[in-house]
Amino acid sequence: MSFSGNVKSELCRSEVEKNCCALAEAMGTLLFANTFAADCIRIVTENQDFGIRLPRLFRKGLGVSFDSLPQQNTAGKLIYQITEPEKIRSVFSTCGFSAHTSVSLHVNFALLEKECCQRAFLRGAFLAGGSVTDPEKRYHLELSTTHQSVSRETGRLLVEMNLAAKETERKGSAILYFKQSDSIEDFLTTIGAPVSAMAVMSAKIEKDWRNDANRKTNCDSANVDKAVAAAQEQLGAIRLLEKQDRLKTLPEKLRQTAALRCEYPETTLSELAELHEPPISKSAVNHRMRKLMQLASEE
């Protein structure tokens, strides 16, 4: 099962105890479902747990049953439909709409005055029209609906709940989405999926750890490359001085450092400083190397 499917299964493990929350979740499901119109209510899902939850949710929240149910043990898409006109009118009325006069659907905020109902509404919206990418790959959670006004009003609700989402459109649907891991964690926790939220957090921690390790490795590699290049430049200067028979005329300190560099061509300046008798500081070695290179550049 996909990560998105696991999230939905987690959400379906909790029972809706309050009638008000059942209604709010059912409204969220309807407004983000495949079809919520005066002639048909149609919900399509591939999640078996959501399929089991739907009939109970609609009976408790809306007082209606589906006219068409998928056969038991059906794999793939599960389709739930209400086509009886009287039932559809009842659903619209219970949600605060009119099946005949509502030009466009809206979020009925009168049903979402309690925080628990707001959470339930978002849970229903995600179960019907939501998806979330595996956090091991990338961070993306979205809610999709064909009702533009519903998307705008849900976006406003999210802002009020400190869960501000970005908005876009895709193939005639309005999309609310999150691309930050912490926002996705907060949203999942809010709608009742704390285990999935923790999985997102864990994935981010692991990614950050890997990225930090890679940065350190790259940094160390770059430093090694710089050290090797500098050592080769220093060796070139020393060999030039030796070829010109000038090295033996230099002060003892410079000759000692030059000899150690030739003997240990791959050591760092800090390591080279420790090899001196007696040991000297890294800055002293650096100063001597600069002097040797300066002398080699002089004609």
Side-chain angles (χ1 to χ4, degrees), residues 25 34 56 93 102 104-106 108 146 184 203 213 234 242 256-257 262 281 287 290:
E25 184 175 326
N34 299 77
R56 297 200 302 265
S93 176
S102 293
S104 61
L105 296 173
H106 293 270
N108 186 355
T146 56
I184 294 173
Q234 294 158 9
E242 192 173 26
Q256 181 190 23
T257 298
C262 291
S281 66
H287 175 74
R290 287 179 180 275

Side-chain angles (χ1 to χ4, degrees), residues 67-100:
D67 297 322
S68 175
L69 295 168
Q71 294 181 352
Q72 289 186 344
N73 302 319
T74 301
K77 292 183 178 180
L78 307 174
I79 300 174
Y80 297 79
Q81 291 191 121
I82 298 177
T83 53
E84 187 179 315
E86 188 58 38
K87 285 185 180 179
I88 293 176
R89 281 194 294 271
S90 174
V91 169
F92 269 78
S93 176
T94 303
C95 291
F97 311 130
S98 168
H100 300 291

Side-chain angles (χ1 to χ4, degrees), residues 161-232:
M161 298 175 71
N162 296 316
L163 296 168
K166 294 183 179 180
E167 300 179 32
T168 189
E169 292 185 18
R170 186 192 309 129
K171 297 180 181 180
S173 293
I175 311 292
L176 294 166
Y177 67 94
F178 302 95
K179 280 191 171 294
Q180 299 296 322
S181 61
D182 53 350
S183 298
I184 294 173
E185 291 166 24
D186 291 343
F187 180 85
L188 292 177
T189 301
T190 296
I191 65 174
V195 175
S196 298
M198 187 61 69
V200 176
M201 184 183 299
S202 298
K204 183 177 188 303
I205 291 172
E206 186 173 345
K207 279 185 182 179
D208 288 346
W209 181 85
R210 286 201 301 264
N211 290 338
D212 187 53
N214 288 336
R215 279 194 297 270
K216 288 180 178 177
T217 299
N218 292 337
C219 183
D220 290 344
S221 178
N223 288 337
V224 168
D225 291 343
K226 288 180 181 178
V228 170
Q232 291 302 313

Side-chain angles (χ1 to χ4, degrees), residues 107-125:
V107 177
N108 186 355
F109 286 100
L111 301 180
L112 306 179
E113 293 182 353
K114 299 177 182 178
E115 185 177 335
C116 58
C117 295
Q118 295 170 0
R119 294 171 182 265
F121 172 81
L122 293 176
R123 180 167 57 249

